[in-house]
């Protein structure tokens, strides 16, 4: 199994603050087809998960551009440039290069 | 747009089987994608359980391989999860989702395993 180590487990932020979440994989997520299937999801309280970023850095349609993703191989980062109240919830990295696995989640709270 | 709706009993007794249905609209499940079941445990842990491909082949999480079966009814554009010999550890919210990008999710169905 590919293990995704996601940190920090909890993030306290003020509105407008920029924050980052790290996701490290136990194996390279570069697929033989050249794509890297590392994505970022947000699950708001009481809602289903929502795709924010796919293939490391591609912004899903309708997602605000304050969200950005970067990384390659085994190290990936999600950045929120200016947290807004609607961003609160649990963030997950998920990989689909191998049999899918999820990070343990990062809960974003208001400070 | 793809829409998914999970359904099934919310309460299952230990040692029994859990059976859920995912009804898909907006896309024909034989046209493409791998159609997955994913669950979220109390707390934050998420687990991919397995999928049935558009061609009908299946792939399961090895941790569940002896207990899980994913099938489909193409005439109804539905796919199904059966998880046998459940324990309280299988209490979770169960979701269905297509593909490797996890861009569409159902609303989820909460299943409690309890006597």
């Amino acid at each position: 199994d590919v293990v995704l180590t996601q940190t920090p487990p909890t993030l306290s932020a003020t509105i407008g603050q920029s924050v980052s979440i790290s996701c490290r994989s136990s194996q390279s997520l570069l697929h033989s087809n050249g794509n890297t299937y590392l994505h970022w999801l947000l699950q708001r309280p009481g809602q289903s998960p929502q795709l924010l970023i796919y293939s490391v850095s591609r912004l899903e349609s309708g997602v605000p551009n304050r969200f950005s993703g970067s990384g390659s191989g085994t190290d990936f980062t999600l950045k929120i440039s200016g947290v807004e109240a609607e961003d609160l919830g649990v963030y997950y990295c998920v990989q689909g290069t191998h049999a899918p696995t999820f990070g343990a989640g990062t809960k974003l709270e208001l400070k | 747009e793809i829409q998914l709706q999970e359904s099934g009993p919310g309460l299952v007794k230990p040692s029994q089987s859990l059976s859920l249905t995912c009804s898909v609209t907006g896309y024909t499940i034989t046209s493409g994608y791998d159609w997955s079941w994913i669950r979220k445990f109390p707390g934050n842990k998420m687990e991919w359980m397995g999928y049935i491909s558009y061609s009908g082949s299946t792939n399961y999480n090895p941790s569940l391989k002896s207990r899980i079966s994913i099938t489909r009814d193409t005439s109804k554009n539905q796919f199904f999860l059966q998880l046998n010999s459940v324990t309280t550890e299988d209490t979770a919210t169960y979701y269905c989702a297509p593909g490797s990008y996890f861009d569409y999710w159902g609303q989820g169905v909460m299943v409690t395993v309890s006597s």
Side-chain angles (χ1 to χ4, degrees):
Chain A
D1 278 13
V2 173
V3 176
L4 297 181
T5 302
Q6 191 177 334
T7 56
T10 304
L11 206 44
S12 293
T14 56
I15 300 299
Q17 183 180 351
S18 292
V19 298
S20 293
I21 300 169
S22 171
C23 181
R24 287 192 168 177
S25 174
S26 61
Q27 298 180 33
S28 174
L29 300 183
L30 177 62
H31 195 277
S32 56
N33 65 10
N35 201 352
T36 299
Y37 295 93
L38 186 283
H39 321 305
W40 292 93
L41 310 174
L42 165 60
Q43 186 166 31
R44 298 185 176 94
Q47 296 186 18
S48 299
Q50 170 195 1
L51 179 66
L52 299 175
I53 301 284
Y54 65 97
S55 298
V56 181
S57 60
R58 301 183 180 186
L59 195 66
E60 173 71 348
S61 176
V63 174
N65 61 10
R66 62 180 178 274
F67 292 94
S68 62
S70 62
S72 64
T74 60
D75 286 347
F76 304 92
T77 301
L78 174 72
K79 182 176 181 180
I80 310 173
S81 300
V83 168
E84 297 193 6
E86 65 182 21
D87 300 338
L88 304 184
V90 182
Y91 290 80
Y92 296 93
C93 55
V94 54
Q95 65 82 21
T97 298
H98 310 281
T101 51
F102 293 79
T106 295
K107 186 176 183 180
L108 178 60
E109 327 178 298
L110 273 182
K111 191 181 291 183
Chain B
E1 180 180 336
I2 297 173
Q3 294 188 324
L4 306 106
Q5 174 88 43
E6 303 90 348
S7 59
L11 181 64
V12 181
K13 294 186 186 306
S15 80
Q16 294 188 344
S17 293
L18 178 164
S19 296
L20 299 176
T21 298
C22 181
S23 301
V24 181
T25 56
Y27 195 90
T28 302
I29 62 173
T30 56
S31 295
Y33 290 124
D34 300 326
W35 299 87
S36 287
W37 285 98
I38 295 156
R39 60 183 178 177
K40 181 178 179 181
F41 297 98
N44 288 340
K45 183 182 175 185
M46 298 270 279
E47 179 181 65
W48 169 78
M49 302 180 70
Y51 68 67
I52 186 165
S53 75
Y54 67 94
S55 65
S57 62
T58 54
N59 186 18
Y60 301 133
N61 188 320
S63 69
L64 299 169
K65 209 159 191 175
S66 61
R67 298 198 292 136
I68 190 174
S69 176
I70 300 176
T71 57
R72 65 182 183 174
D73 184 336
T74 58
S75 67
K76 294 182 178 179
N77 213 39
Q78 295 175 326
F79 64 106
F80 312 102
L81 170 70
Q82 180 171 319
L83 187 65
N84 299 322
S85 305
V86 298
T87 72
T88 55
E89 303 292 306
D90 295 308
T91 293
T93 299
Y94 289 75
Y95 296 95
C96 53
S100 301
Y101 292 93
F102 303 99
D103 46 351
Y104 298 99
W105 293 73
Q107 88 287 349
V109 58
M110 187 179 301
V111 178
T112 300
V113 179
S114 174
S115 55

